[in-house]
Amino acid sequence: MLKKDNEYSKTMYLPKTALHPYKIPAENYRAKTTDMLYKGQARLREGDTRLLRILHDGPPYANGDIHMGHVLNKIVKDIWNRWHLLRGSRVIYIPGWDCHGLPIENKVMQIIQEELAASDSSSAESSLSPQEIRKRAEAYARSQIEAQKKEFRTLGIMADWDKGIYTTLDHDYQIRQLMVFRDMVAKGLIYRSHRPVHYSPSSHTALAEAELEHHDNHVSHAVHVAFDLDLNSPNMSPSLRELLARRPTRLLVWTTTPWTLTANMGIAVNSDMDYAVYSSASDSSGPLTIIAVSRESELAKLGIAADRLGQFKGSDLVDSTYRPLFASFLAQSGKKFNSLPIVPSSHVSPDSGTGLVHCAPAHGQEDYHLFQSLGMLGPSAAENMLCHVDSQGQYSNSVEEVIGESGAQRLVGKDVLDLGSREVVAMLKEIGALVKIGRHKHSYPYDWRTHQPVIMIATSQWFANLDKIKRDTMDAIETTLFIPPQSKNRLSAFVQSRSEWCISRQRVWGVPIPSLHNVLTGEAVLNNTSLTHIISVLDKHGIDYWWDGPVAAFVPPALRGKMDDAQVEETWRKGADTMDVWFDSGTSWTLLDEFWDTSKPGQRTRRWGSHVCVEGSDQHRGWFQSQLLTAVATRTSVLKQAPYDKLVTHGMVLDEKGRKMSKSVGNVISPADVLSDSTYGGVEGLRLWAASTDITKDVHVGPTSLSQAGQLVKKYRNTLKYMMGCLKDRRPAERIPAEKLRLIDRYVLHQLCVFEKIAFEGYRSFGYQTVVAAMSKFINTTISSLYLDINKDSMYADKLDSFDRKCTLTVFEILLDKMNVVMAPILPHISEEIHDRLNNSDGVYTPKPSVFTVGWNFTIKNANERKWLDPQAERDMDILLRIRAQVFDRLEKARRDRHIKSPLEADAIIIIPENATSKAAEVVRREAQYLKALFVVSDVRFEMTEHENKDWRCINSVDIPGCPHPIGVCVVPARMEKCPRCWTFSRSPEETVCKRCDEALIER
Ligand SMILES: [Zn+2]
């Protein structure tokens, strides 16, 4: 029966699948593979702590839309969780949010200001009660959590997003945090101190080291100033007194912070350094100048031509005194003044400044420690330290004590970093103390949130003593596994360099530091007893009660004595400070206690905390550290254990050129935009992009890397979809056993095992990029351009029960099952979709349980599947693939020379000596019947030497390592006629279709 060509096409077996041609219906599988899956596995595997795998989520800040950094962070975590789920673990993952602190408080204040401005109300910021601010801040934080939660869900992150989350404003969370704080107080680790701390005028609060960023190009106005030495100093060394001969003498000092000069309390010199007295070369009767000999060259730079009169040791200066810098202003106001001391300090360097150092203990740690060690601050540092700066960073009224009434009028209310500083310089000029002013570029600390410079001022703050727990903390770091390994040094260095942690903040949006202050004596009470009492009150009435409730409710019986409520109100007040937000998030490990069985004592295994934390490199000074410190401080254990077994640090996400993303540069890539652009492959494209990055380095993101990921996702799904179509979404009726499969099948299964092994190792070590690279190679090289290509013809044209078809379908099914599981942690939506559809029976669709319930049986460990690993198949196939490459090369030449349009118009001839007994000869002869499919030509023949005489030929030799004789390939015109059904040139002139098609047509 002769049919028209187009009628034959209807008799071909074309792939058919229910899968959508191009759209990945991720949202159809969203709930199944996130919330439902998480809840199901947590319930199913409850109770067995051996199965427990806890990835503890570092809480992002509840403010603003999520950015690409969040995307990377959450997806990297999700891949780990899903991998462990496939491996049979019970995964605990509780997403958290960090809710307190300045950015939210500032945001709320801004909203309130705008509302007030809009309503023409005259009431100002000051009229807002802490309660009102806290109420608004909480509502704002909760709204932000909901918005971010929605975005995280879109990324397919597996969690119980409704009930299984934590926030630092949960009541229970705050109570646990206060209990950690109480334990630290009980251990004597918390103390109050009045001393210089980093203070942010722009945020109106003290800052911890971790909240500073250092700007290298900060410019300060540096001044050289002259202080008048007190010639009547009773303790001046006789030799110096003789040298000066009662001539007026000036001490030359250099400082980059002229605004701190009002708080000058002394000048430091190095006792062991050499100093000298200089006389002006032009004015021999003018005042003398003292500076360090090593800094003599400074004089010329200052325009002072001088002769050295004599030299002496710094120790000769110690205990001499000098007139306060602004003494003349005080004198104008009719006030008296006291001379100030010259003090010894080994920190004074011969390499910078003048060797004479202005000391303002209120404004510098070093000065503070110096004066403290010299016993010059006395028991009440707060009263003895000069400090004239208020919480706004402006000069306060107290400056009058050193500068008199008229001077104070010029300074009070001015910013010390701006107008105040300028005014001080102007005043120095007026009194003749200013020798020189210049711009000085140096590294200077800034507030990491407002990016404004900070200052140091003396305030009363609560500190945690880190020296006391340093050794235990370092021990705990030793027991922790770090990925990448070098990140251990970073955390160690941060911990080593810190002695204390300033934990109090002067803001209202936070967890209170519930101290009690005696109004009459100034005493601050914060101890185990007071905290236990206060925590029980707050637990009952809520945290806000600290602001709402009467002080009488919080004063414990022991402090109250016989006072009635009215007396208590008169005697005690509640502390107004809140805790550093790093203390909030740092105590998050306490929420994991419920998952551990602490009833069984044991020293070897973990019984608290988490298995792993995964965060960006900025958390070495943030959450990684604050978790570690609060845990080591309060969890005593025979093992010095960190609250985590493993710390994984990922890089920051930068733009394609490696720049930080910022609105002002205009290079921000928003996750929402990526998801809405179809070229990037939707959520699976984004997930694959995250997995394809080397997380141990900073990550560059841009259209190039995103489209590559998008293309690979589409290629992957299309490949799987094609195999699904060949299977008609059904499992094959008959599976061919591994030992009976063709060489190409065994080769592909071997490569599948290789891919699986790489993926397994990649998941285990957070090297997800190796999983993606191996998948890309396997899909593109082994599956798409080899296996699918050579089996296409038999799949379309063979009769249904052909052996080749059965082999291919057997392999397709194995590939689908295995690849689907291996890629599921990265591409859960696609895996759910394939799994769901593949398990259809007889075309009737019923939804299936999640692919993650199938589990990942590692092939090597499975007796049935182990035989897929077949290195011999790989070696044999390597020979054939080398010949194939040469055949393809010759076919391409024939096409270029316009002999053929399609490779099927050609036959291939393999030229091999008849008596050849090499491995290569053995393999090509054994596989002879499969070669035409492998080379995608119409026929393959063997010849001993090249002699066939055709009108054209393309010939070449093949290089096979270790083969003792030459092998050649030759491409010639096909000998047979074209089959109208399958288009191969395999029909004899008398046949209507080729033999294979004839068989296939009989069953149609
Ligand atoms: Zn045919």
Side-chain angles (χ1 to χ4, degrees):
M1 181 179 66
L2 199 69
K3 293 188 180 189
K4 285 181 185 163
D5 285 7
N6 62 355
E7 286 176 24
Y8 282 123
S9 69
K10 291 176 191 158
T11 69
M12 304 287 268
Y13 296 98
L14 296 176
K16 192 164 178 281
T17 168
L19 257 54
H20 192 277
Y22 53 87
K23 193 171 172 282
I24 304 166
E27 53 289 352
N28 294 0
Y29 295 95
R30 180 69 37 77
K32 176 178 178 174
T33 202
T34 56
D35 290 56
M36 283 163 64
L37 178 60
Y38 182 83
K39 284 186 265 191
Q41 63 90 27
R43 254 196 319 270
L44 195 68
R45 294 164 179 169
E46 207 166 358
D48 191 343
T49 52
R50 286 170 309 169
L51 296 179
L52 204 56
R53 283 293 175 279
I54 302 180
L55 191 158
H56 184 29
D57 190 46
Y61 197 67
N63 188 16
D65 295 334
I66 67 166
H67 52 69
M68 291 302 278
H70 292 116
V71 169
L72 179 76
N73 177 271
K74 282 285 195 276
I75 291 176
V76 166
K77 291 173 181 171
D78 191 56
I79 293 172
W80 189 90
N81 285 336
R82 288 175 181 276
W83 184 65
H84 278 281
L85 186 54
L86 278 176
R87 299 282 297 141
S89 298
R90 178 181 177 225
V91 173
I92 301 297
Y93 175 68
I94 307 169
W97 275 274
D98 190 9
C99 303
H100 290 127
L102 268 174
I104 289 179
E105 189 170 333
N106 286 344
K107 181 84 196 170
V108 165
M109 297 302 289
Q110 187 196 330
I111 294 170
I112 295 173
Q113 302 278 329
E114 284 164 9
E115 285 172 4
L116 290 177
S119 66
D120 274 345
S121 167
S122 57
S123 53
E125 179 185 338
S126 55
S127 68
L128 281 171
S129 68
Q131 287 93 324
E132 176 66 12
I133 296 169
R134 286 177 57 83
K135 212 169 99 188
R136 298 284 296 258
E138 176 172 346
Y140 178 80
R142 289 196 188 283
S143 73
Q144 296 295 303
I145 290 171
E146 287 311 310
Q148 290 190 357
K149 188 192 282 185
K150 210 170 154 188
E151 295 182 275
F152 289 142
R153 258 186 166 139
T154 318
L155 300 175
I157 308 300
M158 178 184 67
D160 177 358
W161 289 102
D162 286 326
K163 297 202 171 126
I165 63 164
Y166 78 92
T167 77
T168 59
L169 52 75
D170 295 340
H171 174 80
D172 291 350
Y173 189 101
Q174 296 184 69
I175 292 296
R176 281 196 307 270
Q177 177 180 340
L178 285 166
M179 296 208 287
V180 168
F181 182 65
R182 181 195 60 190
D183 292 350
M184 289 175 72
V185 168
K187 290 192 172 181
L189 295 172
I190 304 293
Y191 59 94
R192 187 169 174 80
S193 177
H194 186 87
R195 54 198 303 188
V197 292
H198 289 291
Y199 188 90
S200 170
S202 50
S203 296
H204 302 172
T205 186
L207 297 178
E209 289 287 339
E211 293 168 306
L212 304 176
E213 55 184 25
H214 291 269
H215 289 203
D216 289 337
N217 293 323
H218 181 84
V219 175
S220 295
H221 284 104
V223 292
H224 281 88
V225 281
F227 289 78
D228 293 331
L229 184 68
D230 197 346
L231 295 173
N232 297 321
S233 294
N235 295 323
M236 188 185 293
S237 79
S239 56
L240 181 59
R241 199 183 293 280
E242 195 180 329
L243 186 61
L244 300 179
R246 299 206 61 80
R247 282 174 63 182
T249 304
R250 297 160 43 121
L251 302 161
L252 197 57
V253 161
W254 181 73
T255 176
T256 59
T257 52
W259 60 269
T260 63
L261 286 168
T262 64
N264 176 270
M265 291 178 71
I267 290 175
V269 296
N270 191 322
S271 297
D272 299 328
M273 271 165 52
D274 292 322
Y275 290 82
V277 182
Y278 298 85
S279 154
S280 167
S282 55
D283 178 10
S284 58
S285 61
L288 304 174
T289 302
I290 292 180
I291 75 165
V293 172
S294 64
R295 307 301 296 163
E296 198 178 271
S297 58
E298 288 292 297
L299 290 174
K301 288 182 199 158
L302 296 169
I304 305 174
D307 303 322
R308 195 196 291 184
L309 290 188
Q311 193 172 323
F312 53 92
K313 284 282 174 197
S315 52
D316 288 320
L317 269 173
V318 171
D319 289 342
S320 295
T321 55
Y322 61 91
R323 267 164 62 99
L325 198 53
F326 299 99
S328 54
F329 277 93
L330 272 186
Q332 277 172 23
S333 311
K335 297 246 172 65
K336 290 201 169 133
F337 57 86
N338 293 323
S339 292
L340 297 169
I342 296 175
V343 296
S345 166
S346 56
H347 288 297
V348 173
S349 153
D351 305 323
S352 65
T354 61
L356 295 140
V357 175
H358 148 61
C359 292
H363 301 300
Q365 302 269 18
E366 222 167 67
D367 297 354
Y368 169 80
H369 289 302
L370 175 66
F371 273 62
Q372 189 80 298
S373 69
L374 293 171
M376 295 173 72
L377 295 178
S380 177
E383 287 166 26
N384 296 332
M385 237 187 302
L386 292 179
C387 184
H388 310 122
V389 184
D390 65 14
S391 62
Q392 310 286 319
Q394 296 171 341
Y395 281 109
S396 64
N397 289 322
S398 62
V399 75
E400 192 181 324
E401 66 182 317
V402 297
I403 206 158
E405 213 174 305
S406 62
Q409 277 171 6
R410 295 169 61 175
L411 289 181
V412 173
K414 286 185 174 151
D415 291 339
V416 297
L417 285 179
D418 188 24
L419 292 179
S421 187
R422 287 165 202 261
E423 195 61 39
V424 164
V425 172
M427 292 162 82
L428 291 171
K429 209 168 178 180
E430 286 169 30
I431 58 177
L434 183 70
V435 177
K436 193 182 178 189
I437 179 163
R439 286 161 63 82
H440 178 66
K441 196 160 90 171
H442 59 142
S443 177
Y444 192 86
Y446 277 59
D447 182 331
W448 77 327
R449 294 214 193 265
T450 62
H451 310 297
Q452 295 296 314
V454 304
I455 55 177
M456 290 209 93
I457 56 173
T459 56
S460 288
Q461 304 289 346
W462 294 101
F463 293 86
N465 184 331
L466 302 183
D467 279 335
K468 276 192 180 174
I469 58 167
K470 193 169 282 181
R471 176 172 288 203
D472 284 354
T473 312
M474 295 307 287
D475 286 349
I477 290 176
E478 283 305 316
T479 66
T480 305
L481 189 77
F482 287 81
I483 297 178
Q486 62 270 27
S487 62
K488 178 181 175 182
N489 301 339
R490 201 170 143 82
L491 184 59
S492 301
F494 276 124
V495 168
Q496 273 294 4
S497 67
R498 272 180 101 176
S499 289
E500 58 188 17
W501 174 6
C502 176
I503 53 172
S504 45
R505 297 290 180 273
Q506 290 67 56
R507 305 294 299 204
V508 299
W509 181 227
V511 178
I513 295 182
S515 56
L516 295 167
H517 299 258
N518 190 311
V519 179
L520 310 173
T521 64
E523 175 197 13
V525 173
L526 187 71
N527 54 42
N528 195 359
T529 316
S530 72
L531 280 172
T532 302
H533 177 75
I534 291 168
I535 291 170
S536 75
V537 173
L538 294 177
D539 194 21
K540 191 171 164 194
H541 296 279
I543 304 294
D544 283 325
Y545 197 60
W546 181 252
W547 284 269
D548 300 339
V551 68
F554 297 102
V555 175
L559 271 189
R560 172 188 277 263
K562 290 184 174 141
M563 282 189 255
D564 59 24
D565 279 3
Q567 287 169 311
V568 169
E569 295 287 336
E570 279 168 21
T571 313
W572 295 97
R573 68 169 180 85
K574 293 173 283 182
D577 291 352
T578 53
M579 286 192 209
D580 177 11
V581 287
W582 290 115
F583 199 98
D584 291 17
S585 57
T587 58
S588 62
W589 51 269
T590 56
L591 73 91
L592 304 172
D593 280 355
E594 64 168 297
F595 300 105
W596 295 96
D597 180 5
T598 49
S599 62
K600 295 175 200 148
Q603 297 171 359
R604 296 216 149 264
T605 54
R606 173 164 291 286
R607 305 221 166 264
W608 61 288
S610 64
H611 293 99
V612 61
C613 293
V614 183
E615 302 299 333
S617 48
D618 50 345
Q619 298 305 327
H620 286 280
R621 64 176 195 178
W623 188 62
F624 286 164
Q625 194 183 147
S626 63
Q627 261 201 96
L628 182 64
L629 296 173
T630 54
V632 169
T634 53
R635 280 285 155 111
T636 48
S637 157
V638 180
L639 286 177
K640 300 298 181 210
Q641 213 175 29
Y644 32 68
D645 283 340
K646 196 185 284 184
L647 271 193
V648 181
T649 309
H650 63 71
M652 298 284 123
V653 178
L654 308 171
D655 80 356
E656 219 158 22
K657 292 178 182 156
R659 295 172 304 180
K660 203 173 165 181
M661 288 197 237
S662 79
K663 275 184 191 151
S664 54
V665 179
N667 60 347
V668 177
I669 293 175
S670 95
D673 289 348
V674 175
L675 287 176
S676 64
D677 188 333
S678 63
T679 54
Y680 300 144
V683 56
E684 299 294 69
L686 199 52
R687 292 182 64 100
L688 191 87
W689 164 79
S692 69
T693 61
D694 177 355
I695 62 161
T696 64
K697 302 190 174 97
D698 281 346
V699 171
H700 295 193
V701 64
T704 315
S705 55
L706 288 167
S707 347
Q708 276 168 359
Q711 278 160 18
L712 183 54
V713 161
K714 285 174 198 167
K715 174 89 187 184
Y716 174 78
R717 184 173 177 277
N718 282 341
T719 308
L720 266 53
K721 185 167 75 73
Y722 173 80
M723 296 193 275
M724 289 281 288
C726 292
L727 286 162
K728 306 277 186 290
D729 293 354
R730 286 193 287 273
R731 296 195 171 273
E734 182 190 348
R735 258 204 189 198
I736 306 295
E739 59 278 8
K740 290 192 178 157
L741 287 171
R742 302 164 299 176
L743 173 62
I744 183 65
D745 305 317
R746 284 181 281 122
Y747 171 77
V748 166
L749 290 183
H750 176 79
Q751 295 298 331
L752 176 68
C753 294
V754 172
F755 161 63
E756 184 195 23
K757 186 163 184 295
I758 294 171
F760 194 89
E761 290 302 321
Y763 283 125
R764 192 155 67 176
S765 60
F766 283 90
Y768 305 147
Q769 81 274 26
T770 61
V771 183
V772 175
M775 180 273 260
S776 170
K777 185 167 170 251
F778 186 60
I779 281 288
N780 283 305
T781 312
T782 309
I783 305 292
S784 180
S785 359
L786 181 66
Y787 196 67
L788 299 190
D789 206 31
I790 65 182
N791 285 305
K792 209 168 255 174
D793 172 64
S794 96
M795 195 54 61
Y796 289 177
D798 278 6
K799 61 180 179 177
L800 276 181
D801 69 342
S802 91
F803 177 70
D804 287 349
R805 178 191 296 282
K806 283 184 201 163
C807 287
T808 310
L809 290 183
T810 299
V811 172
F812 278 0
E813 192 200 18
I814 293 169
L815 283 173
L816 278 166
D817 281 345
K818 184 62 81 178
M819 299 230 32
N820 214 31
V821 166
V822 173
M823 292 311 293
I826 297 173
L827 305 172
H829 301 93
I830 289 180
S831 284
E832 295 288 9
E833 181 195 20
I834 300 281
H835 174 75
D836 201 29
R837 291 288 174 182
L838 180 62
N839 289 291
N840 267 332
S841 56
D842 300 328
V844 183
Y845 172 72
T846 41
K848 306 296 176 303
S850 166
V851 66
F852 289 90
T853 59
V854 172
W856 179 342
N857 295 311
F858 195 42
T859 301
I860 304 291
K861 296 186 174 166
N862 184 321
N864 275 332
E865 299 177 359
R866 201 179 297 142
K867 52 195 167 198
W868 296 347
L869 203 64
D870 190 346
Q872 187 57 49
E874 185 178 34
R875 287 192 289 272
D876 291 355
M877 200 63 201
D878 179 61
I879 293 166
L880 300 184
L881 289 176
R882 282 170 188 275
I883 300 174
R884 184 183 197 240
Q886 272 311 321
V887 172
F888 278 15
D889 181 68
R890 295 297 88 190
L891 286 169
E892 177 56 23
K893 180 172 184 336
R895 194 193 58 76
R896 274 203 315 270
D897 294 347
R898 297 175 187 264
H899 296 310
I900 56 171
K901 284 181 184 146
S902 147
L904 291 174
E905 293 168 28
D907 291 348
I909 295 169
I910 297 177
I911 304 152
I912 192 163
E914 189 181 24
N915 56 354
T917 56
S918 65
K919 180 72 192 167
E922 183 207 314
V923 172
V924 285
R925 290 193 190 114
R926 191 185 72 209
E927 299 297 327
Q929 61 166 315
Y930 297 114
L931 294 181
K932 66 176 178 183
L934 183 64
F935 302 158
V936 204
V937 291
S938 282
D939 194 20
V940 173
R941 296 185 291 285
F942 291 89
E943 283 179 10
M944 285 163 282
T945 52
E946 194 274 318
H947 68 268
E948 231 183 89
N949 196 12
K950 293 281 172 188
D951 54 350
W952 60 266
R953 77 191 61 207
C954 295
I955 187 163
N956 210 346
S957 63
V958 187
D959 178 34
I960 297 172
C963 183
H965 53 79
I967 292 183
V969 297
C970 182
V971 169
V972 297
R975 245 180 355 189
M976 311 273 276
E977 305 290 320
K978 185 177 181 180
C979 167
R981 180 167 177 266
C982 68
W983 296 5
T984 63
F985 285 65
S986 52
R987 173 178 68 87
S988 57
E990 57 273 18
E991 293 169 335
T992 51
V993 293
C994 72
K995 287 200 175 58
R996 178 263 308 262
C997 285
D998 195 44
E999 283 181 29
L1001 285 171
I1002 289 167
E1003 74 182 5
R1004 295 299 287 197

